[in-house]
Amino acid sequence: MKQPKGFEDNDHPHYVCKLKKSIYGLKQSPRQWFQTLSTHLQSIGFVAGKADTSLFIRRKDDVQLYMVIYVDDILLTGNSPEMITNTLDKLKSKFDMKHLGFANSFLGIQITRTKNSFFLSQTKYAQQILNTAGMTKCKHLANPSQTKQPDVLSSTALESDPKLYRHLVGALQYLTLTRPDISFAVNSLCQQMHHPMPPNFNSLHRLLRYISGTLTYGLPISQGSTILQSFFDADWAGDKDTRRSTSGYCTFLGNTLISWSVKKQHTVARSSIEAEYRALAAALTDIIWLRRLLLDFNISITSPTTLHCDSTSAIALANNPVFHSRTKHIEIDHHFIRDHIDMKTVNIFPISTKDQVADIFTKHLSMPRYQFL
């Protein structure tokens, strides 16, 4: 420690405060820790990934090791058990670490392993949320949301506690890591955290009843094709208060869902075409990053990625380089879509609205439609 500039003591320039206990939460602590860890990893042959700096890769001859870091939690995998053991020994010589064997839990996510697949779930975490809400023995529902609020709202134990509402909704955001089926419902609840009203409490209560009946749901990761394809959609002017649209997209690697998003658009769209076009731009941004990330895993994708759209007008706008009077106001950065179509990064294909998977990320759905998707 040293005296801060401008506040030096001329009589005692080397005096500093004596700490009676450690200081936690310094702004630069995470940065310094990551720099220390990454410097050591690079010294033993690892290289930071180009798409994701928390991914470290080591390649030597036919051996490939991959390490993912989240603060001080580390996942290490590779095709050489000997090199994995050797790497762990080198890390233990520098840091106080524990080797927990095959991964069966990481950051609260349970990992179930079979011969050719993994299954990611957060059953224990979801159970904790229900315990906090006092709803462990509630009746189950098959749909987390409803297309229309009932005229008479049922009273719930949550209504009198806005602080509990914020706590539960914040916890539910983490649950969406392995539960894309509740992403839109959680996104809707998050928009009312500053001042939750009775309909919002009612929606939260309904969502928790749905989670109670689907505790075993999770994300399957299966072995198979490495072909990327994405679905995107937008709900035009879906927010009744601001009239902003909601964008949603999901991306599959083979049959495995690897990325999805629900987000309200920043500005009001003047037409459904514009709303779809903005959703397309968001999906394309994610596709570009995923293609770069796959390169870090030695998976080269030479063919264009397929984007599925249920709006023929939005497809025409993306492929047409001419500015029309009705599209002049759209921000320039959204027109990078056309560049990537020309560069064969993506191809946009029409799809029936019935088969549009991303529909589940943009609006409240009826029971048959929700269960189908």
Side-chain angles (χ1 to χ4, degrees), residues 86-157:
N86 181 261
T87 301
L88 289 171
D89 291 338
K90 290 181 179 179
L91 287 172
K92 288 179 179 179
S93 66
K94 176 74 174 179
F95 305 103
D96 183 13
M97 301 180 67
K98 291 181 180 179
H99 180 207
L100 302 177
F102 283 111
N104 51 36
S105 178
F106 187 69
L107 303 176
I109 300 172
Q110 285 83 54
I111 305 171
T112 305
R113 179 175 180 161
T114 60
K115 185 177 180 181
N116 294 316
S117 67
F118 293 93
F119 185 75
L120 309 182
S121 62
Q122 293 171 278
T123 303
K124 293 180 181 179
Y125 181 72
Q127 190 68 59
Q128 290 174 2
I129 295 175
L130 293 173
N131 290 339
T132 303
M135 295 181 59
T136 53
K137 297 181 180 179
C138 62
K139 291 183 179 180
H140 303 161
L141 288 176
N143 191 340
S145 57
Q146 50 196 359
T147 55
K148 184 180 179 181
Q149 286 284 356
D151 295 332
V152 179
L153 298 176
S154 58
S155 59
T156 68

Side-chain angles (χ1 to χ4, degrees), residues 221-252:
I221 301 176
S222 56
Q223 186 178 10
S225 169
T226 56
I227 296 175
L228 272 180
Q229 62 172 334
S230 184
F231 300 80
F232 70 92
D233 196 17
D235 180 34
W236 180 41
D239 190 313
K240 294 181 180 179
D241 297 324
T242 64
R243 285 305 176 188
R244 292 184 185 178
S245 307
T246 300
S247 300
Y249 64 80
C250 55
T251 305
F252 291 82

Side-chain angles (χ1 to χ4, degrees), residues 34 38 42 47-57 66-70 288-297:
F34 183 76
S38 59
Q42 289 168 1
V47 178
K50 294 181 180 179
D52 189 346
T53 54
S54 64
L55 170 67
F56 286 84
I57 307 160
Y66 298 96
M67 181 182 291
V68 177
I69 297 170
Y70 187 86
I288 294 169
W289 178 76
L290 286 172
R291 288 170 68 100
R292 291 174 180 167
L293 182 62
L294 288 172
L295 282 175
D296 286 338
F297 289 98

